[in-house]
Amino acid sequence: MKKTTILLALILLNTIIYSCSSDDNPEPQETEPTENRLVKTEKISDTRKVDYVYNNNDLLSGGTGIFNSFGFIFNFSYDATNKITEWNHQETGSGTFSSNTFFTYDNSGNLISYDAVNLTYNGNIITVTGTIGGNQNATIFLEKNFNGLITKLTENDNYTIFEYNSDGNLIVAKNYNNSNVLLSTFNINYDQKLNPFYGQLASIYVERFIEFFYPFDGIYISGFEGYSFPFIKNNITSISENNIELTTYNYTYDTENYPLHIIGNSSTDTIEFDIEYYE
C-alpha cells in the first residue's frame, strides 16, 4: 500500500489493518504513556509474530518480527525530551535491506524534516514538500485542530476531511474532488476499551499520518502490528465505506479489559492473532 517497511510486513500478512506540538496548538499525545500495559508480543503463529522492547521511560525502543521466511529488526532512538530522532530498520530473507530515517524538530517541538520530506508551519496549516509517498517534488497541505489532530489533507486533485469523537478517535473520513463532489465516506466504530498501543510514537504523528493517508485511498489503521499507527485511544470494531462494511474486529479481553485475542474479518481475508503483555 505505502512505502515503509513496516507496511511491507503488513502487506506480506495481507491484513488491513502522535507528536508535532506547538505552543498555540498543544497536542494531547505528547505526554508519555502511563495507563497502557506494554505489549510484549503480537502472534499469529510461531513463525508469524512481532516481539517488542521498551526503554526506561516505557517508550517503544525496538522489535523483532518474523513472517515465515521474512524477518526484520527495528530500533528507535530518542532525545532528552522523548522525541524520536532515528528509526533504524533491517530486513533479512531472500535478500537484505536496511534503512535509517532521521527526524528533526524546531524549537517548539514541531517535526520539520525526515528523509527527503520537509514540513513548514503557519498557524494550524502544515505545508509538506519533497518526495512524499514515493512522489517526487510533491506538495500537500495538512490542517490540524486545537488538539493537534489532523482534520484535512489536501492533495493535488482531491482533499479529505477527517472527523474525531470526544476521545480523539478518528470516526469519519470524507474524500472530495476539487469540485467539492463527495467521492467516498469511511466510518470507523470503536469499543470502549483502551487500545494497548495508544500513546507511542507521539513525536512522529505527522509522519505516520502522511504514511497512512497520502495518497488517500481508504482507512487501514487497525489490525496486526498495532504500533504502525498507535494514535487511536480505543479499539476499532468496524470500518465501512459508503455504508458498506469492509472489516470487523472481535476481541477477547483480559480481566483489565485489554485485548488478548483478536479476529479480523473482511470480504477477502480473516486474520486471527493474540497479544501478550509484560507483567
Side-chain angles (χ1 to χ4, degrees):
M1 260 181 22
K2 296 193 171 63
K3 71 278 185 187
T4 65
T5 49
I6 284 185
L7 286 177
L8 289 175
L10 295 176
I11 293 171
L12 288 173
L13 286 169
N14 192 27
T15 62
I16 298 178
I17 334 223
Y18 121 163
S19 127
C20 87
S21 62
S22 70
D23 294 337
D24 294 329
N25 294 283
E27 301 194 3
Q29 291 186 326
E30 179 69 18
T31 57
E32 297 177 17
T34 57
E35 297 181 64
N36 284 28
R37 298 176 65 185
L38 299 178
V39 175
K40 183 178 181 179
T41 300
E42 288 179 277
K43 182 177 180 180
I44 296 175
S45 68
D46 287 337
T47 58
R48 301 179 73 179
K49 65 177 183 175
V50 185
D51 298 314
Y52 301 102
V53 293
Y54 305 81
N55 64 19
N56 291 334
N57 293 320
D58 288 343
L59 296 172
L60 182 66
S61 61
T64 302
I66 181 171
F67 304 99
N68 299 326
S69 61
F70 169 84
F72 68 87
I73 298 173
F74 66 92
N75 295 282
F76 292 104
S77 298
Y78 295 81
D79 65 14
T81 63
N82 290 328
K83 289 180 172 57
I84 294 173
T85 58
E86 182 179 356
W87 181 351
N88 173 266
H89 188 98
Q90 300 179 48
E91 297 177 5
T92 60
S94 57
T96 60
F97 171 83
S98 65
S99 66
N100 287 322
T101 298
F102 297 93
F103 302 90
T104 59
Y105 306 85
D106 64 18
N107 291 333
S108 296
N110 297 308
L111 178 66
I112 58 173
S113 69
Y114 64 92
D115 289 336
V117 179
N118 296 292
L119 304 90
T120 58
Y121 297 77
N122 183 11
N124 67 329
I125 303 298
I126 307 171
T127 302
V128 187
T129 59
T131 302
I132 314 171
N135 298 310
Q136 295 183 345
N137 301 316
T139 298
I140 62 174
F141 301 93
L142 305 174
E143 183 175 331
K144 59 181 182 177
N145 63 16
F146 179 78
N147 292 319
L149 297 168
I150 295 172
T151 57
K152 185 176 182 180
L153 163 63
T154 302
E155 306 178 40
N156 181 51
D157 58 354
N158 71 93
Y159 66 93
T160 307
I161 301 297
F162 301 88
E163 301 176 12
Y164 302 83
N165 64 14
S166 59
D167 290 318
N169 292 319
L170 175 61
I171 55 173
V172 178
K174 295 181 178 181
N175 183 242
Y176 299 83
N177 66 18
N178 285 344
S179 297
N180 300 317
V181 175
L182 181 63
L183 303 176
S184 60
T185 299
F186 291 83
N187 295 90
I188 307 98
N189 295 308
Y190 299 83
D191 64 13
Q192 296 300 308
K193 312 297 194 301
L194 191 64
N195 171 15
F197 304 97
Y198 179 70
Q200 298 284 349
L201 310 189
S203 64
I204 60 170
Y205 164 65
V206 174
E207 183 272 339
R208 294 282 79 203
F209 191 95
I210 295 169
E211 175 68 31
F212 274 82
F213 297 120
Y214 171 77
F216 185 79
D217 61 359
I219 302 296
Y220 308 98
I221 58 174
S222 182
F224 194 76
E225 204 164 347
Y227 283 124
S228 293
F229 193 84
F231 309 113
I232 52 178
K233 186 175 182 179
N234 305 113
N235 304 289
I236 291 177
T237 56
S238 66
I239 301 171
S240 62
E241 179 181 7
N242 300 327
N243 295 317
I244 298 174
E245 198 165 68
L246 301 177
T247 310
T248 61
Y249 295 94
N250 295 290
Y251 302 89
T252 301
Y253 306 93
D254 65 14
T255 56
E256 297 181 67
N257 288 323
Y258 286 95
L260 280 179
H261 185 74
I262 299 90
I263 301 174
N265 288 295
S266 70
S267 60
T268 59
D269 191 27
T270 296
I271 183 171
E272 188 169 354
F273 62 96
D274 297 305
I275 297 178
E276 300 176 11
Y277 300 89
Y278 284 95
E279 297 299 330

